[in-house]
């Protein structure tokens, strides 16, 4: 992924922080997913009083992309207003395994400039997919 692609994704992920619906946790997360055909799919977390119905930013972006017909992806950026780089929850990691190449770059970031580049081999080394 180029620096320009990363910058575009980071900008979108940071903008999504302001769109998050977080009346319960007050913990905003933004995401931006780059498809193989260079479309960017944004995502923010959306909470619900029935907390199990809450949707994470990462899954919002992934499901939006899949609903638009995209099934191949180049990179994901996740951002938060956290002290360190933000990390995806376990449910998001398992959904990522369904759609992402295990070596696709995933950037865990924050609004202060922290960046950790990783992939699914490191985030979820023993996914359901690996155990088939």
């Amino acid at each position: 992924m180029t620096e320009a692609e990363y910058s575009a994704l980071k900008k979108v992920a940071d903008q999504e922080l302001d769109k998050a619906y977080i009346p319960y946790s007050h913990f905003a997360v933004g995401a931006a997913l780059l498809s193989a055909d260079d479309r960017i799919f944004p995502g923010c977390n959306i909470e619900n009083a029935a907390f199990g119905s809450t949707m994470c930013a990462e899954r919002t972006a992934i499901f939006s992309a899949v609903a638009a017909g995209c099934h191949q992806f180049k990179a994901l950026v996740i951002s938060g207003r956290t002290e360190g780089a933000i990390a995806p929850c376990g449910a998001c990691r398992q959904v990522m395994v369904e759609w992402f190449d295990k070596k696709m770059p995933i950037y865990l970031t924050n609004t202060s400039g922290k960046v950790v580049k990783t992939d699914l081999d490191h985030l979820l080394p023993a996914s359901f997919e690996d155990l088939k």
Side-chain angles (χ1 to χ4, degrees):
M1 183 166 73
T2 68
E3 184 62 35
E5 289 172 323
Y6 170 78
S7 294
L9 287 174
K10 177 70 166 106
K11 180 179 179 181
V12 170
D14 285 347
Q15 289 171 341
E16 288 298 298
L17 292 168
D18 292 328
K19 296 177 184 176
Y21 178 73
I22 51 171
Y24 307 103
S25 73
H26 308 288
F27 186 82
V29 181
L33 177 61
L34 182 62
S35 68
D37 62 357
D38 293 321
R39 287 187 279 170
I40 296 175
F41 290 88
C44 63
N45 53 325
I46 304 165
E47 295 181 345
N48 187 280
F51 218 69
S53 300
T54 292
M55 183 58 60
C56 297
E58 302 91 311
R59 285 182 284 150
T60 299
I62 294 165
F63 295 160
S64 293
V66 171
C70 292
H71 294 173
Q72 294 182 331
F73 305 99
K74 291 165 77 172
L76 174 70
V77 172
I78 308 165
S79 186
R81 294 183 182 106
T82 50
E83 187 174 321
I86 197 164
C89 73
C92 286
R93 293 173 195 218
Q94 188 60 50
V95 168
M96 289 174 194
V97 168
E98 190 77 20
W99 296 105
F100 297 171
D101 178 88
K102 296 282 272 186
K103 296 293 184 186
M104 186 190 89
I106 299 170
Y107 297 86
L108 313 177
T109 71
N110 68 10
T111 55
S112 300
K114 179 76 174 171
V115 180
V116 174
K117 181 181 176 186
T118 189
D119 58 34
L120 284 171
D121 273 342
H122 292 93
L123 287 175
L124 192 60
S127 67
F128 292 146
E129 186 68 24
D130 293 335
L131 302 174
K132 286 183 180 178

